[in-house]
Each structure stands twice: as structure tokens, then as C-alpha cells.
């Protein structure tokens, strides 16, 4: 039986390994070993995802926690090397573009283990993004590439990788989304998300923001929040907030621009309602019915595209261009006027109907599983 290590570390990784593990659950050919690096560790950033997404508890939790990029990457490498040497896997599978992805990839390759990268080949061409460095460096040493959109293959070929190693399989994020959507429809959320939804009108927006380029600079972050606060006069905005963003709201004295979710039971007809981070299903329960999602996340650009929900992305570029050509995603940058104009367009109902990209059909993991078994 072939032993394959699946590595996940940060919030967006968990939904990518979940469908892969499901696809291999009954395989007699592969024995999966799950390694959680511990890059994310708060319950709602980590454990909640394991239970929501039906992932077995990890065989290893490296518990690296937070730190500078060098500290975090180095800690993952040192601890993951011990696992690789002990387990002697036939293959290591990494997903996405977080620090855990490149750290585990480097270790696997230097231990002489075949490295597979799920969501390979995406490029924003913005080297100020730590994720872009992680993507490029991971793909430089990857043996088996799994891609989500045609542009990714073009990028990999242009970087000199062999066609035979690149497999256009579709999008595992969407496998997970469709699986969870079904669950959420059958068994709706019971916690904070349900309480908040009861207070919302038919037209509301969901917001996520956590990218250092948006939230670490006082002027930029204040500009974005001010624009959103104005726009929220027309429709309320629900904002499950990443811990790093929560810290910046306090540091920049912006708390007055938000309504704390715990402190309101009145109908939310306007304003930005601030929540702690939510588990996957709780957040899905909220955004699946939103008029639009405003975000700087990579994954949500894809998930909104799959459900043809308008997505206003607070970035100047995207490594996921198919979400823009499909028509669901628009890059708003950080210009307050543009952000407001796009929100108005959504609320006026003039956003054009979008399409769903090829192979975003919920079966990407099955395609990957077949290739993993064969290689
Ligand atoms: C990481 C990824 C980013 C991804 C994001 C999703 C990298 C380079 N970045 O960014 O691509 O979109 O995850 O969330 O890998 N913190 C907590 N609790 C946690 C985790 C983090 O409080 O469970 C706080 C800590 O103050 C920490 C900060 O968030 O220092 C940043 O965490 P980190 O893992 O370094 O990066 P993210 O911003 O989460």
C-alpha cells in the first residue's frame, strides 16, 4: 500500500485536503497520513474546520503556531522533516499557497520524496504577496502538478515544466463547497450565524479581509473600512473577522465603524456587523444567500464563482483570472469610490449573470485520486 502524506496548516488548506481524503477513503492502494502543521491553531481557524469538513483527526500536529515568515517556515521544516524521515512516504501532497505549503514541499523534495501540488500554477505576478513567493517556489520543485484552470497550465509550461506532469483536474475547493452546501441545506447552522441571519433583511453583503496589504497599513485599511461603512447604509454587511484584522481594528481606532455582533439583537438594516471567525459551514450558511461577497480571499473568489454570486475583490490583481472571465468576480482594488460603485451595482441588480468554469463540478478529487494511485 502506498503511503501518502497530506499536509495542511492554515484555514484555506483544510477544505482542499478534505475532499481528497474522502476520495481515497476506500482505496486499497493508498494509505493517507494527515499532517497538520499548526500554522492556524485557534478553534475557529482550525479544529472547527476538521469537524465541519469531516476530516479525521491529523496523525501529526506539528503545533508551530505564529511567528515571522522565517520562524514559521523554519519551524514547519524542522518538525516536518522528522515526520518524513520516520514515515518514509511514497509521496507528499501539498495544497494551495500558504507558508505550510512551501515549507513541507521543500522538506519532501530534500528527503527525496515525490512532491504533488494541488492548485499549482496560479500566478498573481505580485511578488509583494507572500503567497506568490510560496506558489512559485513550490512549483519550482513539484513533480506532479494539479491545476484548476487553463491559465495555470500555461504558466507552468512557460516556466519550463513538462506537459506530462501537469494535470488539469478542476477545483478541489469546489468539491468541498458542493459537498458542504448539501449538508448546510439539510442541517442549517445553529450558532451565531443563525442568530445573525434572522436579523438580516433579504439583501445583505458578506465581507472578509485579512491580507497584510489591506489591513496592516492604517491609511489603506481606514479607507476601505470608511467606504464599506458608507455602502452599508444601503445594505448591512456581515464581517466574520480574522484575528489579525481584529487586532488592526483595535490598533487603528476603527472599532466605532462596526456593530459588535454580540451587542445587538435589533434588526440589522445597515452597518457592518463584526463577528469572530466562523467555521466553514456557519460562514457558508451566511454567504450562500448574500447579494454579494466583498473579500480579499483567494478561495472565496472561486467559491462565489461556483455559486454565481457576485464577488467584489479588494485587490488589484488575482492569481485566479478565470473567476474574472467567468463574470462573477471584479477586481475593485482599494479605491473607495470604485468599491462603493460596485456595491451599488449589485444592489441595483445590474450585475451580469456569470458562468461556472470547466471541471468545477465536484469531481476534481476523484480525478486526482486516480492519478495519485497510478503514479
Ligand atoms: C495565512 C496565509 C494566507 C491565507 C490565510 C487564511 C501565509 C503566508 N498566509 O495568512 O495565504 O489566506 O492564512 O487565514 O501562509 N492568528 C491567530 N490565530 C490563528 C492563526 C493566526 O490569532 O489560529 C493571528 C496571529 O496573530 C498571527 C496572524 O494571525 O500572527 C497571522 O497568521 P499567519 O498564519 O501568519 O497568516 P494569516 O494572515 O492567517
Amino acid at each position: 500500500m502506498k503511503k501518502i502524506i497530506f499536509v495542511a496548516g492554515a484555514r484555506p488548506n483544510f477544505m482542499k485536503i478534505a475532499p481528497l481524503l474522502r476520495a481515497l477513503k476506500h482505496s486499497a492502494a493508498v494509505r493517507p497520513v494527515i499532517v497538520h502543521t499548526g500554522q492556524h491553531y485557534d478553534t475557529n481557524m482550525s479544529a472547527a474546520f476538521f469537524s465541519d469538513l469531516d476530516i479525521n483527526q491529523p496523525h501529526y500536529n506539528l503545533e508551530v503556531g505564529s511567528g515571522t515568515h522565517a520562524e514559521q517556515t523554519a519551524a514547519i521544516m524542522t518538525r516536518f522533516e522528522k515526520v518524513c524521515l520516520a514515515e518514509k512516504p511514497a509521496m507528499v501532497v501539498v495544497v494551495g499557497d500558504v507558508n505550510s505549503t512551501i515549507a513541507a514541499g521543500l522538506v519532501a523534495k530534500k528527503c527525496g520524496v515525490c512532491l504533488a501540488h494541488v492548485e499549482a500554477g496560479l500566478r498573481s505576478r505580485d511578488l509583494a504577496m507572500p503567497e506568490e513567493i510560496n506558489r512559485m517556489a513550490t512549483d519550482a520543485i513539484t513533480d506532479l502538478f494539479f491545476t484548476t484552470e487553463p491559465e495555470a497550465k500555461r504558466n507552468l509550461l512557460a516556466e519550463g515544466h513538462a506537459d506530462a506532469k501537469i494535470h488539469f483536474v478542476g477545483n478541489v475547493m469546489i468539491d468541498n463547497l458542493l459537498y458542504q452546501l448539501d449538508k448546510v441545506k439539510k442541517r442549517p447552522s445553529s450558532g451565531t450565524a443563525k442568530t445573525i441571519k434572522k436579523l438580516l433583511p433579504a439583501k445583505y453583503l458578506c465581507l472578509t479581509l485579512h491580507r497584510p496589504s489591506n489591513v496592516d497599513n492604517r491609511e489603506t485599511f481606514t479607507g476601505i473600512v470608511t467606504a464599506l461603512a458608507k455602502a452599508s447604509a444601503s445594505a448591512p454587511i456581515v464581517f466574520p473577522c480574522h484575528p489579525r484584522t481584529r487586532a488592526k481594528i483595535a490598533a487603528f481606532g476603527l472599532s466605532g465603524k462596526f456593530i459588535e455582533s454580540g451587542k445587538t439583537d435589533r434588526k440589522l438594516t445597515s452597518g457592518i456587523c463584526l463577528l469572530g471567525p466562523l467555521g466553514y459551514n456557519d460562514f457558508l450558511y451566511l454567504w450562500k444567500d448574500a447579494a454579494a461577497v466583498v473579500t480579499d480571499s483567494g478561495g472565496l473568489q472561486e467559491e462565489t464563482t461556483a455559486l454565481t454570486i457576485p464577488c467584489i475583490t479588494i485587490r488589484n490583481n488575482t492569481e485566479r483570472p478565470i473567476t474574472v472571465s467567468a463574470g462573477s468576480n471584479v477586481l475593485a482594488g482599494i479605491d473607495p469610490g470604485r468599491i462603493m460603485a460596485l456595491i451599488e451595482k449589485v444592489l441595483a441588480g445590474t450585475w451580469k449573470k456569470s458562468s461556472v468554469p470547466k471541471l468545477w463540478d465536484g469531481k476534481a478529487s476523484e480525478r486526482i485520486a486516480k492519478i495519485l494511485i497510478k503514479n
Side-chain angles (χ1 to χ4, degrees):
M1 222 183 188
K2 192 196 280 184
K3 191 190 282 180
I4 302 184
I5 296 184
F6 290 82
V7 181
R11 191 168 57 172
N13 288 167
F14 306 133
M15 38 276 208
K16 292 171 194 163
I17 65 161
L20 288 169
L21 294 167
R22 250 191 311 278
L24 288 165
K25 201 169 178 178
H26 302 294
S27 163
V30 170
R31 181 151 76 85
V33 174
I34 308 170
V35 174
H36 183 348
T37 66
Q39 177 174 345
H40 284 172
Y41 44 85
D42 283 353
T43 305
N44 272 348
M45 302 283 287
S46 171
F49 281 78
F50 273 75
S51 53
D52 262 13
L53 304 180
D54 306 325
I55 314 176
N56 285 338
Q57 283 309 306
H59 298 88
Y60 295 89
N61 189 328
L62 307 182
E63 295 181 345
V64 297
S66 300
T68 65
H69 284 261
E71 285 165 350
Q72 198 173 54
T73 309
I76 297 167
M77 288 184 71
T78 313
R79 296 178 197 186
F80 185 57
E81 185 180 49
K82 292 193 176 73
V83 176
C84 253
L85 294 175
E87 291 284 350
K88 298 186 179 54
M91 192 186 285
V92 168
V93 176
V94 295
V95 296
D97 56 15
V98 301
N99 287 345
S100 300
T101 311
I102 178 60
L106 275 169
V107 169
K109 200 65 192 159
K110 291 202 171 183
C111 289
V113 178
C114 174
L115 177 65
H117 184 200
V118 174
E119 206 185 85
L122 297 180
R123 298 288 180 266
S124 68
R125 322 244 171 251
D126 176 3
L127 281 165
M129 276 181 94
E131 294 84 357
E132 181 70 356
I133 301 168
N134 294 341
R135 289 179 203 115
M136 292 174 69
T138 304
D139 285 339
I141 54 170
T142 288
D143 299 296
L144 207 50
F145 303 91
F146 295 110
T147 61
T148 52
E149 56 173 283
E151 183 74 15
K153 182 170 185 171
R154 283 195 280 278
N155 291 334
L156 292 168
L157 291 174
E159 287 170 21
H161 297 291
D163 200 346
K165 293 178 168 183
I166 307 168
H167 302 273
F168 174 38
V169 287
N171 196 326
V172 291
M173 273 291 267
I174 307 309
D175 295 7
N176 177 66
L177 171 67
L178 300 179
Y179 176 86
Q180 298 300 335
L181 191 62
D182 199 41
K183 271 173 51 184
V184 167
K185 281 182 182 161
K186 284 185 193 137
R187 187 163 40 87
S189 152
S190 54
T192 317
K194 191 173 184 187
T195 313
I196 293 296
K197 197 151 182 191
K198 279 190 187 149
L199 305 177
L200 290 168
K203 269 195 185 173
Y204 65 92
L205 305 167
C206 281
L207 168 70
T208 81
L209 275 178
H210 73 283
R211 254 171 228 293
S213 58
N214 283 337
V215 305
D216 282 5
N217 177 284
R218 178 190 290 268
E219 205 183 318
T220 307
F221 191 32
T222 305
I224 295 170
V225 169
T226 306
L228 292 170
K230 262 196 204 156
S232 73
S234 308
I237 302 178
V238 188
F239 183 19
C241 190
H242 188 292
R244 67 165 17 261
T245 311
R246 172 75 72 156
K248 296 296 175 187
I249 289 172
F252 298 155
L254 292 171
S255 306
K257 303 255 185 210
F258 300 92
I259 304 163
E260 283 285 347
S261 65
K263 294 196 181 141
T264 182
D265 55 5
R266 66 172 175 83
K267 289 280 178 197
L268 287 162
T269 49
S270 63
I272 310 176
C273 179
L274 195 62
L275 283 69
L278 292 175
Y280 187 89
N281 288 346
D282 275 350
F283 186 40
L284 175 57
Y285 178 71
L286 282 174
W287 75 256
K288 73 181 175 57
D289 299 317
V293 172
V294 182
T295 190
D296 60 4
S297 145
L300 265 171
Q301 292 173 52
E302 295 184 338
E303 293 184 307
T304 47
T305 294
L307 299 192
T308 65
I309 292 176
C311 182
I312 298 168
T313 297
I314 312 287
R315 282 175 55 187
N316 291 317
N317 53 50
T318 181
E319 59 287 340
R320 295 160 159 93
I322 203 158
T323 59
V324 175
S325 55
S328 50
N329 186 20
V330 173
L331 301 177
I334 56 165
D335 172 35
R338 184 157 162 74
I339 296 170
M340 281 186 56
L342 287 166
I343 292 179
E344 278 162 20
K345 191 171 172 182
V346 165
L347 296 174
T350 53
W351 202 276
K352 246 179 51 206
K353 181 86 183 134
S354 56
S355 59
V356 177
K358 193 173 158 206
L359 299 190
W360 289 23
D361 56 359
K363 298 196 170 81
S365 307
E366 287 168 27
R367 295 183 195 104
I368 293 176
K370 277 191 193 137
I371 299 166
L372 291 181
I373 290 167
K374 221 169 59 193
N375 272 269

